[in-house]
Amino acid sequence: GENVEQHPSTLSVQEGDSAVIKCTYSDSASNYFPWYKQELGKRPQLIIDIRSNVGEKKDQRIAVTLNKTAKHFSLHITETQPEDSAVYFCAASTGNQFYFGTGTSLTVIP
Amino acid sequence: NAGVTQTPKFRILKIGQSMTLQCAQDMNHNYMYWYRQDPGMGLKLIYYSVGAGITDKGEVPNGYNVSRSTTEDFPLRLELAAPSQTSVYFCASMGTGGPGELFFGEGSRLTVL
């Protein structure tokens, strides 16, 4: 089955700086790569996603890049704010099933 | 729409007891999933369903059972609870048309003592 690895497991940045989280996947058939944000005690919620026919997608301060050849994709958050503090999960899907990374705990220091 | 609703939110079980976690969605989604979340381990798929009457195992199905008699409901049954099943359980659903957004319930925190 698919194996998704996520790094780093923890990340601290100063408010206003950028944060980058990286994931790799193993199954070349994976074609959908979402990112979820989970605040403490809350449910995961989709923040951005990218499909395999696209190399980059941006939504305000959040962007995702995908390198199919290298089988890795990354989440970029610019101008970080304290409310960006949360756990972020990447995932890969070939269709019906989703395989999640182990999560990155992001702390934005005011 | 309420989205995905899970009950109970919290439960403590003794070793060997059984229980059912309930999950219901009102979005007419065909795909439904059960995940467990352990600290530092991400979300692991237990079982999933692509429609009423169809279920399949995920990555960690041992010790669990599911059924899908209607489009709306996808209960997860724990038989003979063990401490290793202490976790937070999330139910999720997805619409048709290829992989897309998973809508999660609020989670059920289960402790087995």
Side-chain angles (χ1 to χ4, degrees):
Chain A
E2 173 67 281
N3 181 45
V4 178
E5 295 190 356
Q6 183 172 347
H7 300 280
S9 57
T10 60
L11 180 59
S12 292
V13 299
Q14 291 291 137
E15 182 177 358
D17 287 350
S18 295
V20 180
I21 303 170
K22 299 182 178 181
C23 289
T24 61
Y25 62 98
S26 60
D27 190 346
S28 57
S30 290
N31 58 10
Y32 176 68
F33 307 91
W35 286 88
Y36 286 82
K37 176 183 180 182
Q38 186 179 29
E39 297 176 350
L40 190 62
K42 303 288 187 180
R43 74 188 86 188
Q45 292 192 298
L46 180 71
I47 55 170
I48 197 167
D49 57 12
I50 192 167
R51 299 188 186 273
S52 58
N53 58 349
V54 176
E56 184 174 0
K57 184 176 179 181
K58 189 174 182 180
D59 183 4
Q60 299 183 345
R61 297 185 297 108
I62 296 173
V64 57
T65 58
L66 171 65
N67 184 326
K68 287 173 53 181
T69 302
K71 295 197 188 70
H72 67 71
F73 55 113
S74 300
L75 177 71
H76 305 253
I77 305 174
T78 59
E79 300 172 17
T80 53
Q81 301 169 1
E83 52 264 38
D84 294 330
S85 295
V87 177
Y88 292 80
F89 292 98
C90 64
S93 175
T94 57
N96 293 342
Q97 297 191 49
F98 291 76
Y99 297 88
F100 284 83
T102 50
T104 296
S105 178
L106 173 64
T107 301
V108 179
I109 304 165
Chain B
N1 288 349
V4 179
T5 303
Q6 286 182 238
T7 57
K9 287 186 172 51
F10 303 93
R11 182 74 185 268
I12 298 175
L13 281 181
K14 294 182 179 178
I15 293 172
Q17 287 185 321
S18 299
M19 75 160 297
T20 299
L21 298 176
Q22 302 291 344
C23 177
Q25 53 91 12
D26 61 0
M27 296 174 282
N28 200 33
H29 284 171
N30 282 337
Y31 297 90
M32 294 189 75
Y33 304 83
W34 274 107
Y35 287 92
R36 60 176 287 171
Q37 184 176 35
D38 301 307
M41 297 299 292
L43 293 151
K44 295 292 185 184
L45 181 64
I46 305 171
Y47 271 95
Y48 69 104
S49 169
V50 301
I54 306 170
T55 62
D56 210 344
K57 296 179 180 179
E59 301 168 273
V60 291
N62 291 345
Y64 307 94
N65 273 302
V66 294
S67 60
R68 185 94 182 271
S69 57
T70 67
T71 298
E72 293 78 18
D73 300 298
F74 191 41
L76 177 71
R77 179 85 177 160
L78 281 72
E79 305 281 1
L80 300 174
S84 61
Q85 293 178 304
T86 294
S87 189
V88 179
Y89 292 84
F90 285 98
C91 179
S93 73
M94 181 180 75
T96 54
E101 182 174 1
L102 287 174
F103 293 84
F104 285 88
E106 290 186 320
S108 299
R109 182 176 294 274
L110 175 67
T111 302
V112 182
L113 299 174

